[in-house]
């Protein structure tokens, strides 16, 4: 019976590892919405985690989470589309499908206009579910209650994401006491590049190497032209050029699942069409997260410092929670080399294999789970979860997905010192 159980466990681990190593383009075929990139709403797919090493138990969690799903960040999108659709309607330049879309947009436009950049209902629910999943996966950390510290950037959608997460955690166990804080003094830990940060520091920036070879990437895309033809009989006399109009429609489309308005655009755009252009879009995102990677050094330092305080007994904290933005989490994954995001390939076709922009989608999160041995003198271990999946770090390990804390601390302290 013991042999059968061991075999089943190993099979489940192998299955999980296989699922994580599925080629990015194959992942898109299975879920085309991943092509939404940073607009991708958090996916709560079932994950089989590797069993805790024998003789160990989790005791502390260090976390960074992006805010949950939100309305579009810039009010110009909704304003421009409002003006555009009304003008086209008045000039009788909308197709039948365009008229249907306009009617649905007009019903929702007041909600959209007054909710710009704000957390949606789905965004609130995402952080509730992530918190409960954390509690259920690592109940030993929280079972006796204790102190948790949560910090957020100054942005409302991040503060509310923090509130949602923390409320759910205390619902799981009322003995957990959480101190929540959103203030300029904590920005080093959540959004160090905020100009309001009293410790703001300019770090060196550099482009990824593939940019020098970008012309090698062969890409043809006529989606914008097709979108325009589906919505308008003519764009003559309409505000904005066709390129910007089509981009606005694409941006609206990928934001709709986050705000409960799926179906508003009918068949004007499809997920498969967005997926067909994903690899090119992912190149742009990689440059965007690669260049400011060193700006996230203060977050990495915050992770190490707070973990050290728990390990040394200076604090009995159960978890440190951070709530911020994709503009921080994306570069942080590159800085830390999570799943090879720091590989910096010269070949643009290789970029998709080290970074996929859906990993920085809505409510995306990084969790470092710390483990202590039951016997004195055992190495402290940790593992890294990216969006709930076990992830690799650029460290030696003979028991992946677990790494030794001393190796982690030394490697990343050296990285910080080198690039300060």
């Amino acid at each position: 019976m013991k042999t059968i159980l061991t075999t089943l466990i190993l099979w489940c681990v192998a299955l999980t590892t296989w699922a994580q190593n599925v080629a990015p383009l194959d992942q898109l075929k299975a879920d085309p919405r991943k092509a939404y990139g940073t607009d991708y709403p958090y996916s709560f797919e079932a994950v089989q985690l590797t069993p805790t090493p024998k003789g160990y138990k989790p005791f502390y969690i260090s976390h960074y989470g992006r805010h949950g799903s939100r309305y579009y960040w810039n009010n110009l999108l909704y304003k421009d589309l409002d003006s555009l659709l009304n003008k086209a309607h008045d000039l009788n330049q909308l197709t039948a499908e365009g008229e249907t879309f306009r009617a649905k947009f007009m019903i929702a436009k007041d909600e959209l206009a007054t909710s710009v950049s704000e957390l949606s209902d789905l965004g609130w629910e995402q952080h509730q579910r992530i918190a409960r999943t954390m509690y259920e996966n690592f109940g030993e950390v929280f079972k006796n209650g204790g102190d948790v510290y949560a910090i957020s950037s100054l942005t409302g959608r991040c503060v509310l994401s923090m509130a949602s997460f923390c409320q759910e955690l205390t619902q799981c166990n009322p003995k957990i006491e959480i101190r929540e804080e959103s203030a300029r003094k904590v920005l080093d830990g959540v959004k160090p590049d905020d100009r309001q940060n009293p410790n703001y520091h300019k770090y060196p920036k550099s482009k990824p190497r593939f940019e020098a070879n970008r012309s090698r990437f062969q890409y043809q895309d006529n989606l914008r032209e097709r979108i325009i033809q589906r919505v308008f009989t003519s764009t003559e006399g309409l505000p904005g050029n066709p390129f910007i109009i089509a981009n606005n429609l694409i941006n609206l489309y990928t934001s709709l699942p986050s705000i409960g308005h799926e179906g508003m655009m009918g068949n004007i755009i499809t997920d498969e069409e967005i997926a067909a252009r994903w690899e090119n879009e992912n190149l742009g995102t990689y440059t965007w997260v690669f260049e400011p990677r060193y700006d996230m050094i203060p977050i990495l330092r915050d992770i190490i410092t707070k973990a050290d305080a728990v390990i040394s007994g200076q604090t009995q904290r159960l978890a440190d929670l951070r709530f911020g933005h994709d503009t921080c989490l994306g570069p942080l994954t590159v800085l830390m080399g999570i799943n090879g995001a720091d590989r910096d390939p010269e070949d643009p076709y290789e970029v998709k294999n080290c970074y996929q922009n859906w990993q920085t989608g809505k409510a995306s999160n990084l969790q470092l789970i710390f483990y202590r041995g039951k016997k004195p003198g055992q190495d402290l271990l940790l593992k890294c979860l990216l969006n709930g999946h076990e992830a690799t770090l650029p460290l030696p390990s003979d028991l992946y997905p677990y790494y030794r804390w001393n190796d982690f601390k030394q490697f990343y302290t050296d990285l910080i010192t080198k690039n300060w």
Side-chain angles (χ1 to χ4, degrees), residues 137-154:
N137 284 341
F138 309 106
E140 288 178 285
V141 174
F142 302 105
K143 66 179 181 181
N144 295 322
D147 294 332
V148 170
Y149 184 46
I151 58 177
S152 165
S153 81
L154 307 177

Side-chain angles (χ1 to χ4, degrees), residues 346-417:
E346 294 183 359
D347 184 353
Y349 287 98
E350 276 299 308
V351 170
K352 63 179 177 294
N353 296 319
C354 65
Y355 175 78
Q356 303 86 41
N357 56 12
W358 63 73
Q359 300 287 6
T360 319
K362 301 297 195 298
S364 52
N365 61 91
L366 168 68
Q367 298 176 25
L368 297 174
I369 318 300
F370 289 73
Y371 296 80
R372 182 179 280 132
K374 296 177 183 178
K375 297 178 181 179
Q378 287 183 289
D379 289 330
L380 290 171
L381 304 178
L382 62 83
K383 74 174 172 181
C384 176
L385 302 183
L386 182 62
N387 299 325
H389 293 269
E390 291 168 341
T392 63
L393 297 172
L395 305 173
S397 176
D398 55 359
L399 31 84
Y400 175 80
Y402 300 93
Y403 297 87
R404 289 176 175 80
W405 162 245
N406 286 339
D407 292 337
F408 180 99
K409 182 180 176 181
Q410 185 65 56
F411 180 85
Y412 288 116
T413 298
D414 290 347
L415 186 152
I416 289 170
T417 302

Side-chain angles (χ1 to χ4, degrees), residues 149 151-154 181-192 194-200:
Y149 184 46
I151 58 177
S152 165
S153 81
L154 307 177
E181 190 162 16
S182 174
R184 287 185 290 276
K185 66 181 181 180
V186 304
L187 285 173
D188 253 7
V190 285
K191 199 176 190 307
D194 190 322
R195 289 304 182 103
Q196 298 180 78
N197 181 6
N199 301 313
Y200 177 81

Side-chain angles (χ1 to χ4, degrees), residues 46-318:
V47 178
Q48 178 68 47
L49 298 178
T50 304
T52 301
K54 187 176 181 180
Y56 280 83
K57 65 177 182 179
F59 69 95
Y60 170 69
I61 298 174
S62 188
H63 155 281
Y64 189 101
R66 183 191 179 191
H67 60 76
S69 286
R70 53 143 171 80
Y71 289 81
Y72 196 74
W73 64 275
N74 189 329
N75 66 353
L76 288 178
L77 176 70
Y78 301 138
K79 286 183 177 180
D80 287 352
L81 286 175
D82 185 15
S83 299
L84 171 71
L85 293 172
N86 281 325
K87 182 71 171 179
H89 173 75
D90 292 342
L91 294 176
N92 197 30
Q93 290 176 200
L94 289 173
T95 64
E97 195 164 20
E99 286 288 3
T100 300
F101 161 50
R102 174 186 172 276
K104 293 178 179 179
F105 181 86
M106 292 304 153
I107 292 172
K109 76 170 188 176
D110 288 343
E111 173 197 340
L112 302 180
T114 56
S115 303
V116 172
S117 83
E118 294 177 354
L119 193 73
S120 66
D121 290 345
L122 178 60
W124 178 273
E125 293 164 5
Q126 287 164 340
H127 281 282
Q128 285 182 312
R129 290 187 63 181
I130 294 167
R132 183 164 289 275
T133 299
M134 176 189 283
Y135 184 87
E136 291 172 350
N137 284 341
F138 309 106
E140 288 178 285
V141 174
F142 302 105
K143 66 179 181 181
N144 295 322
D147 294 332
V148 170
Y149 184 46
I151 58 177
S152 165
S153 81
L154 307 177
T155 306
R157 58 185 177 273
C158 297
V159 176
L160 288 176
S161 294
M162 174 174 68
S164 169
F165 193 106
C166 294
Q167 284 185 25
E168 188 67 18
L169 208 52
T170 55
Q171 286 289 321
C172 292
N173 184 350
K175 293 181 181 179
I176 299 172
E177 295 195 13
I178 305 179
R179 167 79 167 98
E180 299 176 40
E181 190 162 16
S182 174
R184 287 185 290 276
K185 66 181 181 180
V186 304
L187 285 173
D188 253 7
V190 285
K191 199 176 190 307
D193 58 349
D194 190 322
R195 289 304 182 103
Q196 298 180 78
N197 181 6
N199 301 313
Y200 177 81
H201 180 80
K202 292 190 74 172
Y203 292 88
K205 290 180 171 60
S206 61
K207 290 184 180 294
R209 294 187 298 172
F210 88 85
E211 284 284 11
N213 304 308
R214 188 152 187 171
S215 60
R216 295 182 191 172
F217 188 79
Q218 300 300 309
Y219 173 69
Q220 290 185 338
D221 177 24
N222 64 352
L223 178 58
R224 294 184 184 89
E225 290 82 355
R226 297 200 304 272
I227 292 171
I228 294 296
Q229 292 170 4
R230 290 167 188 169
V231 179
F232 307 99
T233 57
S234 169
T235 57
E236 186 177 351
L238 298 181
N241 64 58
F243 184 91
I244 293 174
I245 291 171
N247 276 349
N248 282 345
L249 290 168
I250 291 170
N251 288 334
L252 178 69
Y253 177 81
T254 59
S255 73
L256 292 177
S258 283
I259 59 176
H261 284 289
E262 286 181 87
M264 176 189 288
M265 297 181 70
N267 295 315
I268 290 171
I269 308 174
T270 68
D271 290 343
E272 290 71 23
E273 288 175 322
I274 299 294
R277 64 203 302 269
W278 172 77
E279 188 170 358
N280 181 66
E281 300 301 305
N282 188 61
L283 290 176
T285 311
Y286 189 61
T287 298
W288 174 68
V289 298
F290 187 93
E291 288 184 343
R293 62 198 183 281
Y294 296 125
D295 288 352
M296 302 306 123
I297 281 176
I299 298 178
L300 183 54
R301 187 190 298 114
D302 189 68
I303 289 171
I304 294 172
T305 301
K306 288 177 177 175
D308 246 345
V310 173
I311 291 166
S312 65
Q314 296 175 42
T315 175
Q316 301 300 313
R317 198 173 289 163
L318 308 178

Side-chain angles (χ1 to χ4, degrees), residues 30-43:
D31 183 2
R33 285 192 176 180
K34 287 186 173 181
Y36 294 6
T38 57
D39 262 353
Y40 181 60
Y42 195 80
S43 172

